[in-house]
Amino acid sequence: RSRIMSEIKRGNMPVIETKGVLLGADETAYWQEPAALYEAAEKKGKGFTGVELKLPIGIHFSVGAKTVQDEKGWKKVADGDVIVTSERLLFQSGAHSFVMPWPRVAGAQFFVSGVAVQASRWEPRYLKYRSKGNHNIVGSIIAFAHAAATKA
């Protein structure tokens, strides 16, 4: 894990092959992680807590120290995989899937247990990792991929 993080800090993203995901001609898959998808049980709720970084182009990222897994207001929708590519963030399962192109991602909040993402005009979604210990890697890859895809 430390070697992967060192490479990411140098700007060298891991490249993987994905099963069952069609990539665009110039699209690269960086990471695939087993996760459970949670959606807000109530459509109108309070925002996330933590420290926010607001970028001048209208995008913000939040960093929180507590886990979302014990918070009320989330319902589990499906088990599957979160896939991070150079063009989009995907959740893929047999029951429920979604695709968020990076330009539509309005914010992300990273936790030890997973990541909560918000896309423009969509309710937040929480992706809880099924394995432990990769949260720094996944968070760094998401931040890098989003920044690279949305820079002007």
Side-chain angles (χ1 to χ4, degrees), residues 53-61 103 105-107 120 146:
L53 171 63
K54 294 186 179 184
L55 303 176
I57 55 175
I59 296 172
H60 72 274
F61 282 87
V105 174
S120 54
H146 182 268

Side-chain angles (χ1 to χ4, degrees), residues 124-148:
R125 294 172 178 186
Y126 173 60
L127 300 164
K128 181 181 175 186
Y129 311 134
R130 289 196 311 244
S131 58
K132 297 185 184 221
N134 288 340
H135 60 280
N136 286 334
I137 294 171
V138 180
S140 297
I141 291 171
I142 288 172
F144 175 90
H146 182 268

Side-chain angles (χ1 to χ4, degrees), residues 3-4 14 19 30 37 44 62 78 80 85 90 95 118 122 124 145-147 151:
R3 182 185 58 78
I4 294 171
K19 297 176 185 174
Y30 296 136
L37 171 64
K44 293 181 182 176
S62 301
T85 78
L90 303 93
Q118 172 78 46
W122 289 354
H146 182 268
K151 70 179 175 181

Side-chain angles (χ1 to χ4, degrees), residues 104-117:
R104 293 203 52 201
V105 174
Q109 185 177 11
F110 302 98
F111 300 96
V112 172
S113 60
V115 60
V117 290

Side-chain angles (χ1 to χ4, degrees), residues 24-99:
D26 295 328
E27 187 174 17
T28 303
Y30 296 136
W31 197 262
Q32 186 167 351
E33 184 80 17
L37 171 64
Y38 288 76
E39 292 182 347
E42 297 177 15
K43 295 301 179 190
K44 293 181 182 176
K46 295 182 179 179
F48 298 114
T49 60
V51 178
E52 289 188 78
L53 171 63
K54 294 186 179 184
L55 303 176
I57 55 175
I59 296 172
H60 72 274
F61 282 87
S62 301
V63 179
K66 63 181 181 174
T67 64
V68 175
Q69 67 190 22
D70 295 327
E71 290 186 18
K72 295 179 182 175
W74 294 97
K75 65 178 179 181
K76 185 175 179 180
V77 176
D79 287 313
D81 290 310
V82 60
I83 302 159
V84 183
T85 78
S86 57
E87 304 292 326
R88 56 202 167 137
L89 177 70
L90 303 93
F91 177 79
Q92 189 174 43
S93 78
H96 191 88
S97 299
F98 72 81
V99 176

